[in-house]
Amino acid sequence: MAEKTFTVLNLLELNLTGHDALELKCIAGKRGLPRKLTVADINRPGLAISGFYENFAFQRVQLFGRGEVAYLNKLYNEKNTETIKKFFEYEIPCCVFSQNRLPSQDFLDLAEKSSCPILQTTLESSDFSSRLLRIFSNIFAPKKSLHGVLIEVYGMGILLRGHSGVGKSETALELIERGHRLVADDVVEVRCVNGNIILGQVTNSRIGHYMEIRGLGIIDITQLYGIGAVRAQKEIQLVMHLEEWDNTKEYDRLGLNQEYTDILGVKIPLMTIPVKPGRNLPTIIEAAAMNERLKKTGRNSSKEFNQNILRWIEIGSENDLYLNGEDTY
């Protein structure tokens, strides 16, 4: 997997709105905007500017709030600036001042001299921290691309996989006809968020919701079925592998043994669905989605069926003993 390269300039150029907007602007040190952000975390540099630089997390974004700015002003009023000069000796990616707070001109001059970007946000420190960490979790999440079709069925994110030509796109199209939603066709970009959630989305937002149907060509799902037939991303909760029916292969008929597939270190439930003429795949997938949701409520149809069979056999044996007049005492 290629190393993720993300710079301070990339951070400024993020086109985010609403509760994701960072509301950042650069007020000094613009020559340092190409500096790379390599650690997806934030540091409050209060200890550092007070002179304690042991274990200084200089690789992180340095966030200055009310307390840090007040201490900076105190140091400048006392003309005690040695710790601040030492602060800029480190290769700091950038400094961010919350609530449009402004450092002294001397601080800005040191930043310009060391080419350290100084950013300003209108947000409060806590709000900015939560937003930036959320953005970092997406940007630096492990990613890969998978061949398949990702569709949302009854709220479940289902990834259809299988050899080319097995009917993934045609099956997904029928599901869209039934009111379900397309996330991505052909190539799905997946990323691991929070260490245990696999999110899938299109690799290119401009062409992501087009589908290739053999014999028909390229169709635009948004134009044909409306904006409600697509969504930008979805957690992958079930993987269904479609394969040509093999008469020599023994397929699971009870579903007692749950299989899993590994995606970026996370185990996702896996089902193998044999394909042959006459099988209604969209109906099977809808039933699988509802059954998977039922499992999450603690109900497992396969296990309940097996337990009922065992009870029936046990009760039948007891009846046979009674009817045959055998004394069990």
Side-chain angles (χ1 to χ4, degrees):
M1 187 179 300
E3 182 181 353
K4 181 69 180 179
T5 300
F6 191 75
T7 67
V8 180
L9 181 60
N10 295 143
L11 184 66
L12 281 172
E13 292 178 339
L14 287 176
N15 186 22
L16 302 172
T17 58
H19 295 296
D20 290 326
L22 295 176
E23 301 178 19
L24 285 170
K25 64 179 179 180
C26 183
I27 59 175
K30 293 183 178 180
R31 288 179 300 173
L33 288 177
R35 288 188 178 185
K36 295 180 181 180
L37 294 168
T38 57
V39 179
D41 209 343
I42 297 169
N43 183 57
R44 300 297 292 265
L47 282 174
I49 58 177
S50 68
F52 185 79
Y53 280 93
E54 187 174 341
N55 295 324
F56 175 37
F58 67 91
Q59 305 95 333
R60 304 179 183 180
V61 172
Q62 306 296 313
L63 178 59
F64 288 78
R66 181 184 294 109
E68 289 84 2
V69 171
Y71 191 70
L72 279 178
N73 293 333
K74 177 178 181 295
L75 291 177
Y76 277 110
N77 290 335
E78 296 174 352
K79 300 188 183 303
N80 183 11
T81 60
E82 290 305 313
T83 58
I84 301 175
K85 291 178 181 177
K86 187 174 181 180
F87 178 79
F88 284 108
E89 291 177 2
Y90 290 85
E91 189 74 12
I92 296 166
C94 67
C95 299
V96 178
F97 286 78
S98 62
Q99 283 192 308
N100 276 340
R101 293 184 176 91
L102 190 66
S104 67
Q105 187 58 48
D106 290 334
F107 186 91
L108 295 178
D109 291 341
L110 285 173
E112 286 285 355
K113 185 177 179 181
S114 62
S115 298
C116 178
I118 305 299
L119 311 182
Q120 202 178 49
T121 178
T122 60
L123 302 174
E124 294 185 1
S125 299
S126 58
D127 194 9
F128 176 80
S129 297
S130 61
R131 295 188 187 194
L132 184 60
L133 291 175
R134 187 167 64 247
I135 292 166
F136 275 167
S137 70
N138 286 327
I139 291 172
F140 291 95
K143 296 180 182 180
K144 66 184 298 186
S145 294
L146 298 176
H147 177 66
V149 181
L150 179 57
I151 193 162
E152 182 191 62
V153 181
Y154 295 132
M156 293 286 298
I158 298 180
L159 178 63
L160 304 180
R161 305 201 67 186
H163 294 301
S164 180
V166 76
K168 298 184 297 296
S169 295
E170 290 80 359
T171 301
L173 183 61
E174 174 61 27
L175 288 167
I176 294 168
E177 286 272 4
R178 298 183 182 198
H180 305 295
R181 297 198 285 180
L182 174 71
V183 182
D185 179 57
D186 193 34
V187 180
V188 183
E189 182 184 274
V190 297
R191 67 183 190 278
C192 181
V193 178
N194 296 330
N196 61 352
I197 297 176
I198 300 297
L199 292 179
Q201 64 182 30
V202 297
T203 56
N204 188 324
S205 58
R206 294 181 180 272
I207 61 174
H209 294 136
Y210 289 83
M211 291 187 74
E212 177 192 350
I213 305 297
R214 285 176 172 81
L216 183 61
I218 304 297
I219 61 174
D220 186 341
I221 297 300
T222 307
Q223 291 292 329
L224 287 177
Y225 298 97
I227 193 66
V230 300
R231 63 173 299 165
Q233 67 176 14
K234 177 65 182 176
E235 179 185 355
I236 298 176
Q237 297 156 292
L238 178 64
V239 177
M240 303 189 76
H241 181 77
L242 308 184
E243 67 176 31
E244 297 288 346
W245 189 292
D246 185 353
N247 291 325
T248 64
K249 185 175 180 179
E250 186 74 23
Y251 291 104
D252 188 6
R253 301 182 63 180
L254 296 180
L256 292 174
N257 299 319
Q258 178 66 67
E259 294 183 350
Y260 294 90
T261 184
D262 186 282
I263 301 178
L264 296 174
V266 179
K267 289 185 176 181
I268 307 294
L270 170 68
M271 297 180 66
T272 299
I273 306 297
V275 177
K276 72 174 182 178
R279 298 205 85 197
N280 193 326
L281 288 180
T283 299
I284 292 173
I285 292 172
E286 286 180 329
M290 289 187 288
N291 192 49
E292 197 65 27
R293 290 185 62 181
L294 191 63
K295 287 181 181 179
K296 293 184 182 298
T297 66
R299 300 291 301 275
N300 190 312
S301 301
S302 298
K303 290 182 178 179
E304 289 178 6
F305 175 80
N306 190 54
Q307 290 170 358
N308 289 335
I309 290 293
L310 293 175
R311 281 197 209 99
W312 175 66
I313 293 173
E314 183 180 345
I315 292 172
S317 299
E318 291 176 354
N319 288 338
D320 287 343
L321 289 173
Y322 176 76
L323 294 173
N324 291 333
E326 294 185 20
D327 189 359
T328 59
Y329 299 98

